[in-house]
Amino acid sequence: MDQDSHCTAEKELLEAVSRITTSSTTSPSDEEENQPKAEISCQVRKENPEKDDTQDSSATVSPNSSMTTKELQEYWRNEKRQCKQIKLLFEIPSTRIVEHHLSKYVMYKIIILQTGSFDSNKSVIERRYSDFEKLHRNLLEEFSEEMEDVTFPKKTLTGNFTEEVINERKLAFKDYLRLLYSMKYIRRSKKFIDFLTRPELQEAYGCLRGGQYTKALEILLEVIGLQERLTRGNPAAIVPTLCAIVVCHKDLENPASAFEYGEQALSRLRVHTSHRYYMPLLETMITLAYELGKDFLTLQEKLEEWKTKKDPVRVFTLKELAVREYVR
């Protein structure tokens, strides 16, 4: 940190926030976390101490940030709150057998909630055996050492739909998810996060592209809580989802709700003004603020300031960006 006594308060705050942002992704060592005693008999390998704690480079405060002292102080407070450890619990209480044309498979209902207190915002998803199998293959490719001693329930030629086999797999998959989550590099990996959120997000964006804004909004609001918990330390990660919610509310003529979620998205982009969603979001927020009788001049000033720093390029609207997400 620069010790020059003549440095400005803003520069000191920038450097302090940078330290907070960097430390916000640090989690307690895996040795301190309880290893699950699973039906899957395995032992967690000690994580490679030579690995760096990976983090999206965009999560670092830019030295060229134009944030005011007040904004920096607020950002600092938010980042300090992000440092609080979040632990998730995985439960698989039930299953259902699906018969579709010539295929038949078991869907496992997964409930994900935060431990340590009553969690009224639990997330509920469904995955089938082949989804778990694909996740396992993908993780083996990227985390061969961490996954070396992790076993996976094998397919059987017969009896896949018996109550005994289904119950065994329920317990096995529950402990499998707990085990993966206990390993720092895996729980932060895109492949693990995608397994828990991508199918729902793909469905939501498909509805958005089809003009089914009510259905899209319902799914997005269900998944964003889980997505946020899984991406702690990278506040910009959920900006696309927040912006999709803004688009849905705006097209459903709910400007107040659209503005509320837009503010959440902007707060996560205060130090990420080069983010592809920043300018389209500002333009949408100016329109919403004007419609709601709110201060739009401050937003307009930020937009003009951004334009003076960037080369003129074609920028998509917020809705155009949203409909391009999760296109297969």
Side-chain angles (χ1 to χ4, degrees), residues 275-290:
H275 197 285
R276 61 197 173 96
Y277 270 88
Y278 183 70
M279 186 176 127
L281 178 60
L282 270 180
E283 291 178 331
T284 299
M285 290 295 285
I286 291 169
T287 301
L288 290 169
Y290 183 80

Side-chain angles (χ1 to χ4, degrees), residues 24-171:
S24 67
T25 59
T26 303
S27 297
S29 64
D30 293 330
E31 289 83 359
E32 296 174 355
E33 300 184 29
N34 293 329
Q35 297 179 3
K37 296 180 180 179
E39 286 284 328
I40 306 171
S41 178
C42 56
Q43 180 178 1
V44 183
R45 287 177 58 86
K46 184 177 180 181
E47 291 184 13
N48 186 349
E50 296 179 359
K51 283 190 176 182
D52 292 329
D53 191 4
T54 57
Q55 177 185 4
D56 190 328
S57 60
S58 65
T60 304
V61 177
S62 168
N64 297 321
S65 172
S66 60
M67 293 168 64
T68 65
T69 301
K70 182 178 180 181
E71 288 175 330
L72 281 166
Q73 290 171 337
E74 178 62 25
Y75 182 81
W76 191 357
R77 284 193 291 269
N78 289 336
E79 286 302 314
K80 289 175 71 176
R81 286 195 288 269
Q82 293 282 351
C83 294
K84 185 178 179 181
Q85 182 187 2
I86 298 296
K87 289 186 178 181
L88 298 182
L89 177 67
F90 299 87
E91 297 289 345
I92 303 181
S94 62
T95 62
R96 64 187 179 94
I97 297 176
V98 178
E99 296 190 53
H100 184 68
H101 297 303
L102 300 177
S103 64
K104 183 179 180 180
Y105 53 88
V106 179
M107 293 294 291
Y108 296 85
K109 180 180 180 180
I110 306 169
I111 297 179
I112 308 161
L113 62 159
Q114 182 177 328
T115 61
S117 62
F118 175 73
D119 188 359
S120 60
N121 296 316
K122 63 184 179 183
S123 301
V124 181
I125 61 176
E126 283 189 316
R127 298 292 182 268
R128 54 188 291 187
Y129 181 94
S130 60
D131 296 325
F132 281 97
E133 190 177 40
K134 181 180 178 181
L135 169 67
H136 191 70
R137 288 198 308 269
N138 288 339
L139 291 178
L140 282 173
E141 291 176 0
E142 186 174 352
F143 304 100
S144 57
E145 291 186 11
E146 289 86 345
M147 297 289 292
E148 190 174 47
D149 295 327
V150 178
T151 58
F152 186 80
K154 294 182 179 179
K155 281 185 176 180
T156 57
L157 295 177
T158 60
N160 286 307
F161 302 101
T162 64
E163 184 177 354
E164 181 181 2
V165 170
I166 290 174
N167 286 335
E168 286 178 356
R169 286 183 176 173
K170 277 171 54 178
L171 294 173

